[in-house]
Amino acid sequence: MANPEHLALLERGVTGWNQWWTTQATSSPRLAGASIDTINLRNANLSQANLSGINLEAADLCLANFETANLHRAKLMGASLYTANLYQAKLREANLSKADLREVNLRHADLCMANLTEANLSQADLEGATLYTTTLCKANLREANLYKADLREADLSVAKLREANLSRANLGMANLCMADFIGATLHEANLTMANLSMANFCMANLMGTTLYKAMLIGANCIGTNLYKANLSRANLSKADLREATLSQANLSQADLSNANLCMTNLRGANLQGACLAGANLNCATLEGTNLAGANLNQATLEGACLRGAIMPDGFSLTSI
């Protein structure tokens, strides 16, 4: 329940509000459930405020300070929060669809179950943020910092993540179907059982990434760095892995049927029990690769380097 005195003071203008707030030593502003979407809150100091359930739809909140504020179930659809400070803010179940969150500070914020459909988060800082089961469908996260963010079971389908930093982020079971990861960094990220079908990883860095049982059907991985990645039991059927780096990667029991691995570096990779039926391995580097028990039915290996590779029958090639 909003405090009428606090609400009246805010309605009189941001300058007076900020001056009043700086003098408060013990109490926090209480504006829960208020509808103040028509008030200009640019530069407003609302840190530590209780704003749960507040209606700020389409409000101007640029440069506003919401540090550690409670915005649980807040209505922020279409709001402008450009460069706002939401450090450690509580935004559980908040509606931020189509909001402008460019360059916003959301470090360690709680966005569990929030709606960020089509929100603009380009260059936003989400380091360590909790986005468990959050909806980010069609969101713009270009150049965003998601280092160590918790994105388990989040919906990032058709999201724009070009050049974003997702190093050590947890994307287990996330929906990333048709997402754009061109030039993104996912070093040591967890993508266990994630849906990455038709995603674009062109020139992305997935070094040491865990993709156990991940779905990558038809994914674009041209020139992608997957050095030492764990792709055990992953589905890479019809994926384009031309010129990708998969050296020392774990691809045991992975499905690479009809995948394009032309000129791919698979040196020292583990492909034991993998399905490579119909795959294009022309000019691929398979030096020291373990292909024991692999299915190479109708795969093409023209110009491939197989020196030291363990073939499907268990024998090692020493001179090819």
Side-chain angles (χ1 to χ4, degrees):
M1 197 69 184
N3 183 314
E5 293 180 6
H6 293 176
L7 184 57
L9 182 62
L10 188 60
E11 287 174 341
R12 286 199 288 270
V14 167
T15 302
W17 169 270
N18 287 350
Q19 289 174 348
W20 169 79
W21 178 221
T22 56
T23 65
Q24 301 306 300
T26 56
S27 62
S28 297
R30 297 198 310 276
L31 297 160
S35 182
I36 52 177
D37 52 307
T38 58
I39 304 173
N40 185 344
L41 294 172
R42 183 179 282 249
N43 288 303
N45 184 0
L46 291 156
S47 59
Q48 303 176 50
N50 183 358
L51 303 162
S52 60
I54 197 167
N55 184 1
L56 290 162
E57 184 176 356
D60 184 352
L61 303 164
C62 291
L63 304 167
N65 182 10
F66 291 97
E67 185 171 328
T68 69
N70 181 5
L71 287 147
H72 179 229
R73 291 187 177 177
K75 300 174 183 67
L76 292 149
M77 301 83 79
S80 181
L81 288 137
Y82 174 64
T83 66
N85 180 17
L86 287 148
Y87 175 73
Q88 288 189 339
K90 301 171 185 67
L91 288 147
R92 284 199 170 215
E93 300 179 77
N95 191 339
L96 291 139
S97 58
K98 297 185 178 180
D100 182 358
L101 292 151
R102 289 172 299 149
E103 299 180 39
V104 73
N105 179 4
L106 280 159
R107 289 167 68 99
H108 303 288
D110 185 352
L111 289 145
C112 281
M113 298 175 280
N115 183 2
L116 288 144
T117 302
E118 295 186 60
N120 189 349
L121 289 140
S122 60
Q123 297 186 333
D125 190 352
L126 291 132
E127 181 175 327
T130 303
L131 296 126
Y132 174 65
T133 68
T134 300
T135 301
L136 289 145
C137 179
K138 296 183 181 179
N140 181 4
L141 288 145
R142 185 163 186 163
E143 298 182 58
N145 179 20
L146 290 145
Y147 178 72
K148 285 188 175 181
D150 183 356
L151 289 146
R152 287 171 300 151
E153 299 181 44
D155 183 2
L156 285 144
S157 54
V158 205
K160 300 176 183 69
L161 290 143
R162 288 195 179 203
E163 301 177 66
N165 179 14
L166 290 137
S167 296
R168 298 188 179 180
N170 192 345
L171 293 137
M173 298 180 71
N175 180 9
L176 297 146
C177 183
M178 294 190 286
D180 182 357
F181 288 97
I182 292 177
T185 300
L186 293 105
H187 176 60
E188 294 184 354
N190 177 20
L191 288 151
T192 299
M193 298 176 71
N195 182 2
L196 300 151
S197 296
M198 304 298 292
N200 190 346
F201 286 100
C202 187
M203 305 305 292
N205 179 9
L206 283 88
M207 186 169 63
T209 299
T210 300
L211 290 142
Y212 176 73
K213 284 189 175 181
M215 190 79 67
L216 291 128
I217 298 171
N220 180 356
C221 297
I222 298 173
T224 303
N225 183 1
L226 287 150
Y227 174 69
K228 286 190 174 181
N230 181 4
L231 288 141
S232 177
R233 299 192 181 186
N235 190 339
L236 292 136
S237 176
K238 297 182 181 179
D240 192 343
L241 291 143
R242 284 174 293 164
E243 301 183 45
T245 298
L246 282 154
S247 54
Q248 296 186 50
N250 182 4
L251 289 145
S252 59
Q253 299 182 62
D255 184 356
L256 289 144
S257 56
N258 298 304
N260 191 344
L261 293 144
C262 181
M263 300 181 69
T264 299
N265 181 1
L266 288 151
R267 183 179 283 110
N270 180 11
L271 284 151
Q272 188 171 7
C275 179
L276 291 146
N280 177 3
L281 288 152
N282 294 340
C283 300
T285 301
L286 293 151
E287 188 174 351
T289 301
N290 184 0
L291 291 158
N295 179 0
L296 289 165
N297 184 38
Q298 295 187 331
T300 59
L301 291 147
E302 185 178 345
C305 174
L306 290 155
R307 185 180 299 110
I310 299 173
M311 300 308 288
D313 57 8
F315 289 96
S316 176
L317 299 180
T318 58
S319 59
I320 296 178

